[in-house]
Protein backbone atom coordinates (compact mmCIF):
# COMPACT_ATOMS: atom_id res chain seq x y z
CA UNK A 1 0.00 0.00 0.00
CA UNK A 2 1.51 3.37 -0.95
CA UNK A 3 2.52 5.50 2.00
CA UNK A 4 -0.06 8.04 3.06
CA UNK A 5 -2.97 6.33 1.35
CA UNK A 6 -5.82 4.64 3.15
CA UNK A 7 -7.33 1.25 2.36
CA UNK A 8 -8.66 0.97 -1.17
CA UNK A 9 -11.39 -1.49 -0.24
CA UNK A 10 -12.87 -3.97 -2.64
CA UNK A 11 -12.44 -3.33 -6.35
CA UNK A 12 -15.67 -3.60 -8.32
CA UNK A 13 -15.29 -4.78 -11.90
CA UNK A 14 -17.84 -4.09 -14.60
CA UNK A 15 -18.75 -7.78 -14.66
CA UNK A 16 -19.38 -7.80 -10.91
CA UNK A 17 -21.46 -4.62 -11.23
CA UNK A 18 -23.58 -6.10 -14.02
CA UNK A 19 -24.24 -9.15 -11.85
CA UNK A 20 -25.41 -6.83 -9.07
CA UNK A 21 -28.19 -5.27 -11.13
CA UNK A 22 -31.64 -6.27 -9.89
CA UNK A 23 -35.16 -5.38 -10.87
CA UNK A 24 -36.94 -3.77 -7.92
CA UNK A 25 -40.58 -4.32 -7.00
CA UNK A 26 -41.49 -1.09 -8.76
CA UNK A 27 -39.95 -2.33 -12.01
CA UNK A 28 -36.90 -0.10 -11.83
CA UNK A 29 -33.38 -1.44 -12.34
CA UNK A 30 -31.38 -1.25 -9.12
CA UNK A 31 -27.59 -1.52 -8.93
CA UNK A 32 -27.08 -3.03 -5.47
CA UNK A 33 -23.50 -2.63 -4.23
CA UNK A 34 -24.29 -2.47 -0.50
CA UNK A 35 -22.03 -4.19 2.06
CA UNK A 36 -19.22 -4.70 -0.47
CA UNK A 37 -16.36 -3.03 1.44
CA UNK A 38 -16.06 -0.28 -1.18
CA UNK A 39 -13.77 2.58 -0.15
CA UNK A 40 -13.57 4.48 -3.45
CA UNK A 41 -16.48 5.21 -5.80
CA UNK A 42 -16.04 2.59 -8.57
CA UNK A 43 -15.61 4.17 -11.99
CA UNK A 44 -16.52 0.85 -13.61
CA UNK A 45 -20.20 1.43 -12.79
CA UNK A 46 -20.30 4.42 -15.14
CA UNK A 47 -21.13 1.86 -17.82
CA UNK A 48 -24.39 1.30 -15.92
CA UNK A 49 -25.23 4.96 -15.38
CA UNK A 50 -28.68 4.49 -16.89
CA UNK A 51 -30.02 2.59 -13.85
CA UNK A 52 -32.89 4.16 -11.93
CA UNK A 53 -31.73 3.09 -8.47
CA UNK A 54 -28.26 2.91 -6.89
CA UNK A 55 -27.48 1.36 -3.50
CA UNK A 56 -23.99 2.02 -2.12
CA UNK A 57 -25.00 1.80 1.54
CA UNK A 58 -22.96 0.11 4.29
CA UNK A 59 -19.58 0.59 2.67
CA UNK A 60 -16.57 2.72 3.69
CA UNK A 61 -16.91 5.52 1.17
CA UNK A 62 -15.53 8.90 2.21
CA UNK A 63 -16.17 10.88 -0.96
CA UNK A 64 -18.76 10.95 -3.70
CA UNK A 65 -17.11 12.31 -6.86
CA UNK A 66 -18.65 14.75 -9.31
CA UNK A 67 -19.04 11.91 -11.83
CA UNK A 68 -22.23 11.05 -9.94
CA UNK A 69 -23.80 13.52 -12.38
CA UNK A 70 -23.58 10.81 -15.06
CA UNK A 71 -26.48 8.98 -13.34
CA UNK A 72 -29.18 11.25 -14.70
CA UNK A 73 -31.90 8.56 -14.54
CA UNK A 74 -31.51 8.06 -10.80
CA UNK A 75 -34.72 8.30 -8.82
CA UNK A 76 -33.47 6.46 -5.71
CA UNK A 77 -30.01 6.84 -4.14
CA UNK A 78 -28.97 5.13 -0.90
CA UNK A 79 -25.62 6.13 0.64
CA UNK A 80 -26.38 5.46 4.30
CA UNK A 81 -23.80 4.01 6.72
CA UNK A 82 -20.61 5.16 5.01
CA UNK A 83 -17.98 7.71 6.10
CA UNK A 84 -18.97 10.51 3.72
CA UNK A 85 -17.93 13.91 5.07
CA UNK A 86 -18.79 16.04 2.04
CA UNK A 87 -21.24 16.01 -0.86
CA UNK A 88 -20.25 17.23 -4.31
CA UNK A 89 -22.04 20.12 -5.94
CA UNK A 90 -22.91 17.70 -8.75
CA UNK A 91 -25.49 16.07 -6.48
CA UNK A 92 -27.81 18.91 -7.53
CA UNK A 93 -27.85 17.68 -11.14
CA UNK A 94 -29.79 14.52 -10.25
CA UNK A 95 -33.12 16.24 -10.84
CA UNK A 96 -35.13 12.98 -11.01
CA UNK A 97 -34.26 11.93 -7.45
CA UNK A 98 -37.28 11.29 -5.23
CA UNK A 99 -35.40 9.37 -2.48
CA UNK A 100 -32.01 10.23 -0.97
CA UNK A 101 -30.64 8.49 2.11
CA UNK A 102 -27.48 9.97 3.65
CA UNK A 103 -28.07 8.68 7.17
CA UNK A 104 -25.15 7.60 9.38
CA UNK A 105 -22.30 9.45 7.71
CA UNK A 106 -19.97 12.29 8.80
CA UNK A 107 -21.54 15.26 7.06
CA UNK A 108 -20.89 18.61 8.71
CA UNK A 109 -22.31 20.82 5.96
CA UNK A 110 -24.67 20.50 3.02
CA UNK A 111 -24.09 21.96 -0.44
CA UNK A 112 -26.54 24.60 -1.60
CA UNK A 113 -27.02 22.52 -4.75
CA UNK A 114 -28.96 20.00 -2.68
CA UNK A 115 -31.92 22.38 -2.92
CA UNK A 116 -32.04 21.87 -6.68
CA UNK A 117 -33.54 18.41 -6.16
CA UNK A 118 -37.09 19.73 -6.53
CA UNK A 119 -38.65 16.26 -6.98
CA UNK A 120 -37.21 14.92 -3.72
CA UNK A 121 -39.85 13.39 -1.46
CA UNK A 122 -37.79 11.55 1.16
CA UNK A 123 -34.52 12.94 2.52
CA UNK A 124 -32.71 11.27 5.43
CA UNK A 125 -29.86 13.25 7.01
CA UNK A 126 -29.98 11.62 10.43
CA UNK A 127 -26.91 10.43 12.36
CA UNK A 128 -24.51 12.99 10.92
CA UNK A 129 -22.54 15.93 12.38
CA UNK A 130 -24.70 18.78 11.12
CA UNK A 131 -24.79 21.94 13.23
CA UNK A 132 -26.96 23.86 10.78
CA UNK A 133 -29.15 23.15 7.77
CA UNK A 134 -29.65 25.72 5.01
CA UNK A 135 -32.93 27.62 5.02
CA UNK A 136 -33.07 26.91 1.28
CA UNK A 137 -34.14 23.34 2.08
CA UNK A 138 -37.53 24.99 2.34
CA UNK A 139 -37.57 25.14 -1.44
CA UNK A 140 -38.00 21.34 -1.64
CA UNK A 141 -41.78 21.63 -1.85
CA UNK A 142 -42.33 17.93 -2.63
CA UNK A 143 -40.72 16.69 0.58
CA UNK A 144 -42.99 14.43 2.63
CA UNK A 145 -40.35 12.99 5.01
CA UNK A 146 -37.24 14.66 6.41
CA UNK A 147 -34.87 13.01 8.89
CA UNK A 148 -32.60 15.32 10.91
CA UNK A 149 -32.30 13.19 14.04
CA UNK A 150 -29.04 12.64 15.96
CA UNK A 151 -27.18 15.71 14.75
CA UNK A 152 -25.96 18.86 16.55
CA UNK A 153 -28.74 21.19 15.42
CA UNK A 154 -29.82 24.06 17.66
CA UNK A 155 -32.28 25.55 15.18
CA UNK A 156 -34.71 24.27 12.56
CA UNK A 157 -35.43 26.96 9.93
CA UNK A 158 -39.08 28.04 9.72
CA UNK A 159 -38.97 27.47 5.98
CA UNK A 160 -38.54 23.74 6.65
CA UNK A 161 -41.35 23.58 9.19
CA UNK A 162 -43.69 25.21 6.68
CA UNK A 163 -43.04 22.78 3.82
CA UNK A 164 -46.52 22.21 2.34
CA UNK A 165 -46.36 18.41 1.93
CA UNK A 166 -44.17 17.52 4.90
CA UNK A 167 -45.75 14.69 6.92
CA UNK A 168 -42.81 13.44 8.98
CA UNK A 169 -40.07 15.63 10.47
CA UNK A 170 -37.73 13.74 12.81
CA UNK A 171 -35.48 16.05 14.83
CA UNK A 172 -35.02 13.83 17.89
CA UNK A 173 -31.80 13.88 19.88
CA UNK A 174 -30.68 17.33 18.79
CA UNK A 175 -29.86 20.13 21.28
CA UNK A 176 -32.96 22.07 20.25
CA UNK A 177 -34.26 24.37 23.01
CA UNK A 178 -37.67 24.65 21.36
CA UNK A 179 -38.24 20.90 21.71
CA UNK A 180 -36.71 20.44 25.14
CA UNK A 181 -40.06 20.71 26.96
CA UNK A 182 -41.90 18.58 24.43
CA UNK A 183 -39.77 15.49 24.85
CA UNK A 184 -41.74 12.55 26.15
CA UNK A 185 -40.58 10.91 29.39
CA UNK A 186 -38.45 7.85 28.92
CA UNK A 187 -40.61 4.74 28.99
CA UNK A 188 -38.67 1.68 30.09
CA UNK A 189 -41.32 -0.59 28.61
CA UNK A 190 -42.11 0.23 25.00
CA UNK A 191 -44.58 -1.42 22.67
CA UNK A 192 -42.83 -3.24 19.85
CA UNK A 193 -44.45 -2.51 16.49
CA UNK A 194 -41.85 -4.19 14.27
CA UNK A 195 -39.16 -6.78 14.92
CA UNK A 196 -36.19 -7.13 12.59
CA UNK A 197 -33.67 -9.96 12.90
CA UNK A 198 -30.23 -9.26 11.47
CA UNK A 199 -26.68 -10.53 11.85
CA UNK A 200 -24.24 -8.46 13.90
CA UNK A 201 -22.05 -8.13 10.81
CA UNK A 202 -24.91 -6.37 8.98
CA UNK A 203 -25.13 -3.56 11.55
CA UNK A 204 -23.10 -0.37 11.39
CA UNK A 205 -21.05 0.61 14.45
CA UNK A 206 -23.52 3.11 15.99
CA UNK A 207 -26.50 0.77 15.40
CA UNK A 208 -24.68 -2.15 17.04
CA UNK A 209 -23.77 0.00 20.05
CA UNK A 210 -27.40 1.12 20.37
CA UNK A 211 -28.68 -2.48 20.27
CA UNK A 212 -26.11 -3.62 22.83
CA UNK A 213 -26.96 -0.69 25.08
CA UNK A 214 -30.69 -1.47 24.95
CA UNK A 215 -29.96 -5.12 25.67
CA UNK A 216 -27.91 -4.17 28.75
CA UNK A 217 -30.76 -1.93 29.95
CA UNK A 218 -33.20 -4.84 29.65
CA UNK A 219 -30.86 -7.03 31.69
CA UNK A 220 -30.73 -4.32 34.38
CA UNK A 221 -34.53 -4.24 34.48
CA UNK A 222 -34.63 -8.00 34.85
CA UNK A 223 -32.23 -7.82 37.80
CA UNK A 224 -34.38 -5.12 39.42
CA UNK A 225 -37.65 -7.04 39.03
CA UNK A 226 -38.65 -8.37 42.47
CA UNK A 227 -39.18 -12.10 42.66
CA UNK A 228 -42.71 -13.22 43.57
CA UNK A 229 -43.23 -13.87 47.28
CA UNK A 230 -43.30 -17.47 48.44
CA UNK A 231 -46.75 -18.99 48.54
CA UNK A 232 -48.07 -18.65 52.10
CA UNK A 233 -48.38 -21.87 54.06
CA UNK A 234 -51.23 -22.42 56.53
CA UNK A 235 -50.24 -25.79 57.91
CA UNK A 236 -52.25 -25.38 61.11
CA UNK A 237 -55.42 -24.28 59.37
CA UNK A 238 -58.27 -26.79 59.74
CA UNK A 239 -60.65 -26.94 56.82
CA UNK A 240 -64.36 -26.59 57.58
CA UNK A 241 -65.09 -30.03 56.23
CA UNK A 242 -62.57 -31.72 58.53
CA UNK A 243 -64.10 -29.91 61.54
CA UNK A 244 -67.57 -30.91 60.43
CA UNK A 245 -66.59 -34.60 60.28
CA UNK A 246 -65.06 -34.52 63.78
CA UNK A 247 -68.15 -32.89 65.31
CA UNK A 248 -70.79 -34.37 63.05
CA UNK A 249 -72.58 -36.22 65.85
CA UNK A 250 -72.63 -33.17 68.11
CA UNK A 251 -74.00 -30.60 65.65
CA UNK A 252 -76.56 -33.00 64.25
CA UNK A 253 -78.00 -33.50 67.70
CA UNK A 254 -78.29 -29.76 68.11
Amino acid sequence: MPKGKGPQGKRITLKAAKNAVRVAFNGRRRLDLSKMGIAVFPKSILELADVEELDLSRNILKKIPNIIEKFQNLMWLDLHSNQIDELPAAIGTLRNLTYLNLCNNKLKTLPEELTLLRNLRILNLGLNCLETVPTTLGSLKELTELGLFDNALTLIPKSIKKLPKLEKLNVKRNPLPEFAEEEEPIDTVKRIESLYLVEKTDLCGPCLQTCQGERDELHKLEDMTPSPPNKPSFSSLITPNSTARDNEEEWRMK
Side-chain angles (χ1 to χ4, degrees), residues 46-183:
L46 292 177
E47 297 289 334
L48 302 170
D50 59 344
V51 295
E52 292 86 13
E53 301 188 356
L54 176 59
D55 188 349
L56 283 166
S57 65
R58 298 179 183 180
N59 284 294
I60 48 177
L61 289 166
K62 292 185 177 181
K63 301 289 182 184
I64 300 298
N66 277 316
I67 55 175
I68 192 69
E69 65 185 1
K70 300 294 184 182
F71 292 80
Q72 285 298 305
N73 290 340
L74 278 187
M75 302 178 69
W76 190 94
L77 178 57
D78 195 343
L79 298 169
H80 87 267
S81 301
N82 278 282
Q83 299 176 18
I84 302 168
D85 56 12
E86 185 180 1
L87 289 176
I91 195 76
T93 66
L94 306 179
R95 304 297 175 85
N96 291 315
L97 273 186
T98 60
Y99 174 96
L100 178 57
N101 191 350
L102 291 160
C103 178
N104 193 24
N105 278 286
K106 298 183 178 181
L107 294 172
K108 293 182 179 180
T109 59
L110 299 173
E112 287 292 329
E113 290 78 7
L114 193 65
T115 61
L116 299 176
L117 305 178
R118 299 301 173 87
N119 290 313
L120 207 57
R121 296 176 184 172
I122 298 176
L123 175 59
N124 192 345
L125 296 167
L127 283 166
N128 276 284
C129 307
L130 298 171
E131 295 183 0
T132 60
V133 288
T135 58
T136 48
L137 279 185
S139 63
L140 301 179
K141 304 298 184 182
E142 297 298 317
L143 269 186
T144 60
E145 297 183 24
L146 176 58
L148 295 171
F149 54 92
D150 291 286
N151 278 285
L153 301 174
T154 56
L155 177 68
I156 304 297
K158 292 181 179 179
S159 60
I160 292 177
K161 297 177 185 178
K162 294 180 179 180
L163 283 167
K165 296 184 180 181
L166 194 63
E167 297 174 358
K168 295 182 180 179
L169 174 60
N170 189 344
V171 295
K172 292 181 178 179
R173 293 176 296 278
N174 278 286
L176 292 166
E178 59 188 297
F179 290 97
E181 297 180 359
E182 298 179 13
E183 291 182 357

